[in-house]
Amino acid sequence: MSNVDARTLPKPEGRSRWAADPDLATRRHPAEDQGRRLTWRGSFERDRDRLLHARAFRRLAGKTQLLAVGEGRQVRTRLTHTLEISAAARTLARHLSLNEDLAEAIALAHELGQPPFGNAGARSLHELLSQGLARLAPRGMGVKPRAATRRSEPEPSITSTHGFDAGTQALRVIDLLEVRYAHPGLNLTDATREGLFKLRHGTGAEVPAGIDPTGLRQGEPPPLEAECVRAAWLAMTPLHDVEDMLSEGFLELRDVLRVDDAARVVARLKKAGGWPRGKFRERAALHRALVHATITDVLVASQKRISVADAAGKLPKAGGVVAPSRAGAALVEALRELLEVRVLTRSDVRRADSRAARTVEGIFVALYRDPLLLDDSVLLRWKELSRRTFLRDLAPSRQAEEIAAHYHGQAAFARLLADHIAGMTDRHAEELWQSLSLGRSAR
């Protein structure tokens, strides 16, 4: 990794030619005319504020990052993780003379699609949405699911080959699921939507079914502000997770110092006289040193690539301008592997993940088999999507027939359930599954 200190980097002068221009930003829907006499926010500032006020953003406080927030734990949630990634992305954008507001907006949106229980919940939803319909056959309602016409034919997928993906779900949240205006979604700028999509999917990915491709510039490199968010996300996530695992006793300082590049960062700190005494101060010093080293590495490497682009008059088609050096990427990858080997394989962590997956699966299957267990708000949304009669308005004798014909076997209904469950906090999902389990056992 580079030994260049951030204080030696040239200060940005004006905005780069590659920075996104808020005055050229477009939206899928016309901006709302609210009769204001003065407009003082730019387009990307509006995006940021709309995200901060979104219900999905507030719910991130109750969602697992790496470990569930239990009694006495002080680990990161999806919300605190998002705020820290946002801060790092703003730093990169500012010192690369890019649009800081756009970087912040993309960063604030990047985890909105995360379901409860972190990666375990996402894997469970993906498996549910990728499996055949027959596996979710309803029981006890006197209704049989549609069967394949021939045994040789594969079972139809419940939705599509995309299954569940947190990045795609984040786009669903901002485009469709948030309700604040006359139109669906938050009506964010296309630059924010494009950055969010390409943050996880890259330049060449196809836009999944159900997502409006308008403004996503398929095949084009993402805005450099989106690359700032990606670089911050990939670098900071394992650093934050390592700090949390040190705090919870899942890792020891000596485990991290076995990573050669991390040991060299600490050695430089000790040589400069900046290494404190005491377990808690050592952990904090290690985290500060690693964050400084990785962000500095990204800045130095990215400034060199931007200089090349300036000379050529164009950005590389494949993107990758704002990114770490090889050594910087190697340090982050080594820390990620440390977490996988020493933390994610622990029996207690795997048991917690297994319990989380069973909870998500149990909720999904129960609600799929008996939609009458759903809240009215979800059933009303299905009424709007399917243009069918509100289920509770039908006589009980007709409800089973309606469910068999227009709920079971419907990919759109399965996706509706995934949207509903993905929006839950950990606690909401746990309490709902407990309620459903008690009701089942009472029968």
Side-chain angles (χ1 to χ4, degrees), residues 199-216:
L199 173 68
R200 295 176 186 265
H201 296 89
T203 298
E206 294 183 6
V207 178
I211 298 297
D212 185 353
T214 303
L216 296 185

Side-chain angles (χ1 to χ4, degrees), residues 226-242:
E227 293 195 358
C228 289
V229 179
R230 178 174 174 80
W233 173 51
L234 293 178
M236 293 298 100
T237 299
L239 298 186
H240 296 159
D241 290 343
V242 164

